[in-house]
């Protein structure tokens, strides 16, 4: 039997009572890393099944990888029932359009959702447009997310800015986790001390004599399950160039095997800002475009489409420049070995390498959110250069 904290018990009773009475609308639950949000969702689903056996629930996350992690956790806790589904928000509310060759050529909103309740995980990633589409079906929604993270990349909308229910107490199983310890420093103080926090978590001074050698070794040892994070786009470009140079690749020409990141939402091709992937095939289409096939991390379908040549190695996304109108024919991707923390919001990795970089215009609250979001991307190993 899982022992719940006081705030978990309070949130459980509030969520259960709300969903029992709700015929629509939404409620938000915020919880910091280590407070047991997924555990609470699992117990809530069991409680609903015990007392409302016919009730069906759809669980959804922003990315395929996040939905698979959620599915595994729910399965481990035996909290998924016969008519429940776990998937992406996109697959929940959109249906594919196919041509005569059975190829997906677009997506259309579903007419209705055949569920009694929707539970959204990682809700801090949900932007305003997706939230409007979700709420349009009139199905009750419980939105669960980390209210300490940065807001979504697009616009000022932030579903987790002031959650109605909150989990603040770190669960006892998580208290000994050095990444959780680091995240508390980031969230409460905005400062992470130098030194080692266990064998796999440490912060190193950039000014130390041996640091440059450590950085070079770290970047040369890049693996797919590593996230390299920074603040500035110029730093991101430099790191991407360094890693690709160590692989004997041209600084600005993408090739098969390159890690890439999507920089603009496209519901038709089902790629979203911040999604990572690996190039399976790429060829020149014309002077402005590549024709590419990309295996997106955690997604079943392979992306096939046109991607802009000029975006690779650029210091900023072309959709935020005066050239935007020239690049609506296809999608925007860039090299994805190193990412800014803002772009990494929906990602996690076994190992995270973080270059601390504070923006001059960043206020104290935004800095703490930036630092907290960065360190909580790490699952097992965290190396910070400060």
């Amino acid at each position: 039997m899982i022992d719940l904290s006081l705030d978990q018990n309070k949130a459980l009773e509030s969520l259960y009572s709300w969903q029992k009475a709700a015929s629509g609308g939404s409620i938000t639950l915020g919880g910091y890393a280590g407070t047991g949000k997924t555990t609470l969702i699992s117990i809530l689903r069991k409680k609903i099944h015990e007392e409302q056996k016919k009730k069906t629930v759809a669980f959804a996350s922003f990315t395929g990888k996040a939905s698979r992690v959620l599915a595994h956790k729910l399965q481990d806790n035996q909290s998924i029932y016969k008519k429940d589904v776990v998937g992406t928000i996109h697959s929940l509310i959109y249906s594919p359009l196919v041509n005569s060759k059975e190829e997906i050529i677009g997506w259309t909103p579903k007419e209705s959702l055949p569920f009694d309740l929707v539970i959204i995980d990682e809700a801090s990633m949900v932007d305003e447009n997706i939230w409007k589409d979700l709420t349009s079906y009139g199905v009750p929604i419980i939105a669960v997310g980390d209210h300490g993270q940065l807001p979504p990349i697009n616009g000022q909308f932030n579903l987790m800015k002031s959650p109605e229910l909150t989990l603040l107490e770190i669960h006892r199983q998580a208290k000994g986790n050095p990444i959780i310890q680091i995240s508390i420093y980031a969230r409460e103080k905005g400062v992470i001390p130098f030194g080692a926090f266990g064998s796999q978590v440490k912060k190193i001074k950039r000014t130390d004599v041996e640091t440059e050698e450590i950085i070079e070794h770290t970047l040369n040892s890049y693996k797919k399950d590593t996230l390299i994070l920074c603040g500035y786009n110029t730093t991101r470009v430099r790191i991407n160039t360094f890693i690709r140079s160590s692989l004997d690749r041209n600084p600005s020409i993408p090739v098969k095997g390159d890690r890439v990141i999507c920089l603009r939402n496209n519901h038709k091709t089902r790629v979203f800002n911040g999604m990572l992937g690996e190039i399976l095939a790429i060829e020149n289409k014309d002077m402005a475009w590549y024709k590419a096939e990309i295996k997106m991390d955690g997604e079943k379908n392979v992306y096939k489409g046109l991607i802009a040549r000029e975006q690779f190695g650029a210091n900023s996304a072309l959709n935020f420049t005066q050239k935007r109108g020239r690049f609506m024919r296809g999608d925007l991707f860039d090299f994805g070995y190193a990412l800014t923390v803002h772009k990494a919001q929906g990602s996690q990795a076994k190992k995270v390498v973080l270059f601390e970089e504070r923006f001059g215009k960043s206020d104290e609250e935004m800095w703490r959110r930036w630092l907290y979001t960065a360190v909580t991307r790490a699952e097992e190993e965290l190396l910070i250069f400060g």
Side-chain angles (χ1 to χ4, degrees):
M1 182 69 180
I2 299 173
D3 292 328
L4 297 181
S5 62
L6 288 175
D7 55 2
Q8 281 179 316
N9 268 311
K10 182 179 178 181
L12 177 63
E13 293 305 318
S14 296
L15 290 172
Y16 182 78
S17 298
W18 179 86
Q19 64 81 34
K20 192 173 182 179
S23 57
S26 64
I27 189 169
T28 51
L29 170 69
Y32 298 128
T35 55
K37 297 184 292 295
T38 305
T39 298
L40 183 62
I41 292 173
S42 299
I43 293 173
L44 173 65
R45 181 62 189 106
K46 284 184 176 180
K47 185 176 175 66
I48 292 171
H49 182 72
E50 287 170 2
E51 301 185 30
Q52 300 168 275
K53 284 187 165 48
K54 293 184 178 180
K55 197 154 198 169
T56 57
V57 179
F59 299 90
S61 296
F62 192 78
T63 66
K65 184 177 180 181
S67 67
R68 283 169 175 73
V69 171
L70 177 61
H72 287 312
K73 290 179 178 178
L74 292 170
Q75 287 164 359
D76 288 345
N77 291 321
Q78 298 180 322
S79 301
I80 301 179
Y81 298 92
K82 190 174 181 180
K83 293 185 178 181
D84 292 351
V85 299
V86 186
T88 62
I89 295 172
H90 195 274
S91 65
L92 177 67
I93 61 178
Y94 298 106
S95 296
L97 295 172
V98 297
N99 60 18
S100 58
K101 298 179 182 178
E102 296 298 311
E103 297 172 330
I104 296 175
I105 57 173
W107 299 83
T108 185
K110 293 179 180 178
E111 291 185 5
S112 62
L113 294 182
F115 301 99
D116 302 307
L117 177 67
V118 172
I119 298 178
I120 301 298
D121 191 32
E122 300 285 354
S124 57
M125 287 292 297
V126 176
D127 64 25
E128 188 172 13
N129 290 332
I130 292 174
W131 184 244
K132 284 180 179 178
D133 286 345
L134 276 166
T135 55
S136 69
Y137 292 96
V139 177
I141 300 172
I142 297 174
V144 183
D146 189 332
H147 58 301
Q149 289 188 24
L150 289 165
I153 299 169
N154 299 324
Q156 300 299 312
F157 179 80
N158 185 359
L159 189 57
M160 286 289 116
K161 185 176 182 179
S162 300
E164 292 150 276
L165 302 171
T166 55
L167 299 178
L168 304 177
E169 184 180 339
I170 304 300
H171 213 261
R172 72 173 188 274
Q173 288 97 326
K175 283 182 178 177
N177 185 328
I179 293 172
I180 298 298
Q181 184 182 352
I182 287 281
S183 77
I184 295 172
Y185 279 123
R187 176 166 51 81
E188 294 183 352
K189 301 178 183 301
V191 177
I192 296 171
F194 291 100
F197 301 79
S199 61
Q200 292 188 296
V201 179
K202 63 180 68 174
K203 181 176 177 180
I204 300 173
K205 288 184 180 180
R206 287 289 296 271
T207 54
D208 285 352
V209 176
E210 66 274 16
T211 298
E212 286 305 315
E213 187 176 331
I214 295 172
I215 290 174
E216 187 171 331
H217 173 75
T218 300
L219 297 183
N220 280 327
S221 306
Y222 173 86
K223 294 181 180 179
K224 184 179 175 180
D225 61 359
T226 299
L227 271 180
I228 301 174
L229 306 179
C230 57
Y232 291 106
N233 272 310
T234 51
T235 305
R236 174 187 62 82
V237 172
R238 285 203 307 270
I239 295 172
N240 280 331
T241 301
F242 181 93
I243 293 174
R244 298 188 72 256
S245 177
S246 71
L247 298 170
D248 293 322
R249 293 175 182 173
N250 184 293
S252 60
I253 300 177
V255 297
K256 179 181 177 181
D258 263 326
R259 295 287 292 165
V260 291
I261 181 170
C262 175
L263 300 181
R264 182 174 64 194
N265 293 341
N266 186 340
H267 288 272
K268 185 176 180 180
T269 54
R270 203 179 177 185
V271 290
F272 301 96
N273 198 354
M275 287 177 69
L276 293 163
E278 183 174 320
I279 296 177
L280 300 180
I282 189 165
E283 61 184 51
N284 293 327
K285 173 67 175 178
D286 52 38
M287 293 295 290
W289 299 92
Y290 294 115
K291 184 178 180 182
E293 296 183 12
I294 301 170
K295 178 67 177 71
M296 307 305 297
D297 292 356
E299 302 295 327
K300 293 180 180 179
N301 297 319
V302 172
Y303 165 89
K304 296 179 181 180
L306 298 179
I307 58 178
R309 296 170 65 104
E310 192 175 329
Q311 183 62 73
F312 285 92
N315 279 333
S316 60
L318 295 175
N319 54 314
F320 294 119
T321 69
Q322 292 180 342
K323 299 178 180 180
R324 176 186 176 92
R326 288 167 41 198
F327 295 98
M328 302 307 294
R329 180 182 168 197
D331 294 302
L332 299 181
F333 282 81
D334 199 356
F335 299 116
Y337 299 93
L339 318 174
T340 63
V341 172
H342 282 81
K343 291 291 187 186
Q345 288 177 65
S347 301
Q348 281 191 300
K350 288 184 178 180
K351 179 179 180 178
V352 166
V353 178
L354 172 64
F355 291 84
E356 272 190 354
E357 295 181 316
R358 182 166 182 170
F359 300 104
K361 296 180 180 179
S362 175
D363 61 26
E364 192 61 30
E365 180 188 353
M366 193 54 65
W367 167 247
R368 292 182 185 190
R369 287 182 179 275
W370 184 94
L371 196 56
Y372 174 79
T373 301
V375 300
T376 53
R377 301 309 89 206
E379 296 172 346
E380 298 176 7
E381 189 175 351
L382 174 63
L383 177 58
I384 304 172
F385 295 105

